[in-house]
Amino acid sequence: FLKLVNDLTDKPLEGDDWVNELKQELDHVITSEKEAYETAGAALNAGTAGGTAGDTDGDGDGDGEIDLDMRIRIVDGDDIIADTTEDGGFLKTCNKFEQYIVDRYRK
């Protein structure tokens, strides 16, 4: 990992890098996280959740998308089982992983 960081940044990863990244006033972190949580909750209750939660195609079947504002990769060793970027979203990634489990463990 450290070699990878060094190769990507042309400098070694040092403790000060970690500390500087983590330095934040506790009150600021709590306030900011609470605000994000409440905003997401309000959007979910309104059926918008960042514009991409629930039945976004409007046909009433609930097959819309959920935006977690992050990339999720499900891996097994070196094998990438599912990836939200590659698969086109969280729910498609969930479906792909579910199918992987069914195929792998079906008796």
Side-chain angles (χ1 to χ4, degrees), residues 57-90:
D57 58 7
D59 63 6
D61 64 3
D63 68 346
E65 188 51 67
I66 297 171
D67 181 3
L68 300 175
D69 194 25
M70 68 176 70
R71 179 179 187 182
I72 298 174
R73 292 175 56 192
I74 302 171
V75 298
D76 181 8
D78 290 334
D79 297 327
I80 299 172
I81 298 166
D83 180 333
T84 53
T85 300
E86 300 294 323
D87 301 330
F90 179 70

Side-chain angles (χ1 to χ4, degrees), residues 35-56 64-70 90-91:
E35 204 171 271
Y37 179 83
E38 288 173 352
T39 300
L44 184 59
N45 289 336
T48 59
T52 57
D55 185 41
T56 56
E65 188 51 67
I66 297 171
D67 181 3
L68 300 175
D69 194 25
M70 68 176 70
F90 179 70
L91 295 178

Side-chain angles (χ1 to χ4, degrees), residues 74 80-82 87 90-107:
I74 302 171
I80 299 172
I81 298 166
D87 301 330
F90 179 70
L91 295 178
K92 290 178 182 174
T93 298
C94 290
N95 290 335
K96 188 172 181 181
F97 180 58
E98 179 182 18
Q99 190 59 52
Y100 168 82
I101 295 296
V102 167
D103 293 344
R104 182 168 178 174
Y105 296 104
R106 181 180 291 155
K107 293 182 181 187

